[in-house]
Amino acid sequence: MQLVVARIGRAHGIKGEVTVEVRTDEPELRLGPGAVLATDPASTGPLTIETGRVHSGRLLLRFEGVRDRTAAEALRNTLLIANVDPEELPEDEDEYYDHQLMDLDVVTTDGVEVGRITEISHLPSQDLFIVERPDGSEVMIPFVEEIVTEIDLEEQRAIIDPPPGLIDDRAEIVSSRDADDGSGEDAGEASGKRSEAGGV
């Protein structure tokens, strides 16, 4: 199985280094020297990592055969893809690969069906589940432990405890009771918290 682990950014310096936007929680495993990565577009790869270092908080990589700024700049926006055993699990028991979370049923702690995870969106501040509801609409659920209380891979479901306003039907109930209680702000604050459950 293939997972996107990084996206190549701009060239750094004149000796072929590039900045990368890391998209894995295990960069030391996926982006270490000697790693051979497929690419998208496929025509630019495969690429073998020669060296890696952190500079000003950003990971810099140099690939075999890429020796100058021009060659490095030509790789900009290329996605780096690692082959991963589908049975492999992240080292941290509270972390999950995207493929483990896709298609999980989402239910609330009191058993109400919300929908099915169709996409995981990785934002700088947190990860979001994009959940398709039975009526075809979508709802975004922040993947933080305060909201996603349990991931049960055996039962293929994610159990959530959403704050008022996060899921439409609850928002309607709250707004009909007291339209001026400011409940919409709670949902915004919850979605802005950093993901602690994590994802790859």
Side-chain angles (χ1 to χ4, degrees):
M1 185 190 62
Q2 295 189 317
L3 294 176
V4 174
V5 293
R7 183 180 66 84
I8 297 177
R10 63 181 184 277
H12 178 84
I14 60 172
K15 296 183 178 179
E17 284 187 313
V18 295
T19 62
V20 293
E21 173 192 314
V22 176
R23 296 190 181 178
T24 172
D25 287 338
E26 302 171 308
E28 65 288 339
L29 176 65
R30 307 291 178 206
L31 299 171
V36 180
L37 301 167
T39 60
D40 180 8
S43 58
T44 59
L47 293 172
T48 302
I49 297 174
E50 187 172 278
T51 63
R53 66 187 178 98
V54 176
H55 175 74
S56 299
R58 301 217 51 173
L59 180 61
L60 302 179
L61 296 180
R62 180 183 289 123
F63 301 100
E64 290 183 4
V66 179
R67 290 285 173 255
D68 58 39
R69 187 177 183 88
T70 302
E73 195 62 41
L75 297 175
R76 191 168 188 168
N77 292 323
T78 296
L79 296 177
L80 299 176
I81 302 167
N83 285 307
V84 177
D85 183 337
E87 301 301 315
E88 182 181 329
L89 299 176
E91 292 180 3
D92 190 325
E93 63 180 18
D94 291 327
E95 293 179 350
Y96 302 90
Y97 291 131
D98 285 2
H99 73 274
Q100 295 176 289
L101 301 170
M102 291 294 289
D103 293 323
L104 292 186
D105 293 322
V106 179
V107 297
T108 64
T109 51
D110 51 7
V112 176
E113 179 186 357
V114 177
R116 180 178 58 87
I117 298 173
T118 57
E119 184 182 342
I120 292 96
S121 179
H122 299 286
L123 303 179
S125 60
Q126 66 188 7
D127 296 334
L128 290 175
F129 290 162
I130 311 300
V131 177
E132 183 179 317
R133 307 203 65 182
D135 64 4
S137 64
E138 288 186 338
V139 61
M140 293 184 290
I141 298 175
F143 189 14
V144 295
E145 62 184 358
E146 295 89 347
I147 296 173
V148 181
T149 60
E150 183 182 352
I151 298 291
D152 188 336
L153 295 179
E154 286 190 12
E155 295 293 328
Q156 286 291 288
R157 65 182 183 176
I159 300 170
I160 66 169
D161 184 13
L166 183 64
I167 299 175
D168 339 7
D169 56 344
R170 291 191 177 203
E172 290 169 11
I173 293 168
V174 171
S175 60
S176 65
R177 186 177 67 237
D178 184 357
D180 297 320
D181 70 351
S183 61
E185 294 176 9
D186 293 339
E189 289 169 8
S191 64
K193 291 178 182 172
R194 188 165 190 82
S195 171
E196 294 176 17
V200 176

